[in-house]
Amino acid sequence: MTNNTELTNFIKKNITIEDEDLKIILPYFKTIKKSKNDILLATGKISQVSYFVKKGCLRLFFIDDNGKDVTRYIAFENQFATALVSFITNEPAQETIQVIEDSELLFITHEDFRHLMKIIPKWKDFYTVYLEKAYVNSSKRLMSFTTLDASERYNQLFKINPNIVKRLPNKIVASYINISQETLSRIKSKV
């Protein structure tokens, strides 16, 4: 299990699970290395894989009706990333998964993920926690878009996840908090 220490720690942080169950779960995850700007999932394709970031960064984004790039989610080390709606519904994804930094990832197929839920009850618990956290994060982001101004959204982001501001280009940061790059530059110059 030493090869997947980060994943083991992440799972144990979210649920109580026996080592015997982990010995069954971990081999279903395969390692892959991807380069900056690689596309892991293109819009319109069905999400058949869930990724765990060991090293690097992924982003999920879509292009809105005005042709604007909108970043919905960013995953750094020790986070999962997938086009969750597509992963759940088996319908074409409305978003793209892009590698932002050279990355080392663990991945599991949709079929294997579902199989583990059938054979290991604790994996269902893990999935429930994962879905709950995804829902809470999405709700908080949506609320921030409707209740906070640009400066407050930036300050909240810096407080909650400074890696986004420190590691990523302004274009992606602005896209993530739904402001223009010019507005972001003005805000950063005042901070």
Side-chain angles (χ1 to χ4, degrees):
M1 286 196 293
T2 54
N3 185 24
N4 294 328
T5 305
E6 300 90 345
L7 179 59
T8 299
N9 291 340
F10 183 83
I11 293 169
K12 285 183 169 184
K13 182 178 161 189
N14 284 283
I15 61 167
T16 303
I17 190 165
E18 299 296 324
D19 285 343
E20 294 79 39
D21 286 342
L22 282 171
K23 285 178 185 171
I24 296 169
I25 292 167
L26 294 175
Y28 282 92
F29 284 84
K30 308 300 180 211
T31 302
I32 189 170
K33 291 187 178 186
K34 288 293 184 176
S35 300
K36 182 178 178 176
N37 294 324
D38 282 353
I39 300 297
L40 299 175
L41 177 74
T43 300
K45 300 291 184 187
I46 296 173
S47 179
Q48 292 294 320
V49 175
S50 184
Y51 298 96
F52 179 79
V53 182
K54 282 184 76 168
K55 178 178 170 274
C57 178
L58 306 178
R59 85 168 174 135
L60 282 78
F61 72 95
F62 61 93
I63 306 299
D64 72 10
D65 293 339
N66 300 318
K68 182 179 161 192
D69 178 307
V70 180
T71 300
R72 185 186 68 75
Y73 180 70
I74 295 169
F76 289 106
E77 290 81 7
N78 301 313
Q79 292 181 300
F80 272 91
T82 190
L84 194 54
V85 172
S86 176
F87 192 78
I88 292 169
T89 64
N90 208 32
E91 295 174 356
Q94 301 296 308
E95 55 199 351
T96 297
I97 303 176
Q98 178 186 33
V99 179
I100 300 301
E101 299 173 346
D102 290 347
S103 296
E104 183 178 347
L105 311 166
L106 296 173
F107 71 92
I108 185 169
T109 65
H110 182 269
E111 183 180 339
D112 287 345
F113 195 97
R114 293 286 182 190
H115 174 71
L116 286 175
M117 287 198 298
K118 289 178 186 170
I119 65 170
I120 299 179
K122 283 291 186 174
W123 191 248
K124 276 186 184 175
D125 294 346
F126 176 79
Y127 188 47
T128 299
V129 170
Y130 175 74
L131 292 175
E132 287 173 348
K133 287 183 177 184
Y135 177 78
V136 168
N137 287 338
S138 291
S139 294
K140 285 182 176 181
R141 283 201 67 224
L142 181 59
M143 190 164 294
S144 76
F145 291 150
T146 57
T147 62
L148 303 177
D149 66 27
S151 182
E152 291 168 326
R153 285 198 302 270
Y154 174 81
N155 289 330
Q156 182 184 60
L157 176 65
F158 193 81
K159 181 179 175 186
I160 293 171
N161 197 342
N163 270 337
I164 292 175
V165 176
K166 292 176 181 175
R167 286 172 58 176
L168 302 181
N170 279 352
K171 178 181 179 184
I172 294 174
V173 175
S175 166
Y176 186 69
I177 57 176
N178 198 27
I179 63 175
S180 70
Q181 288 186 65
E182 296 76 21
T183 300
L184 178 61
S185 293
R186 281 195 300 274
I187 292 168
K188 285 176 104 175
S189 70
K190 293 177 183 175
V191 175

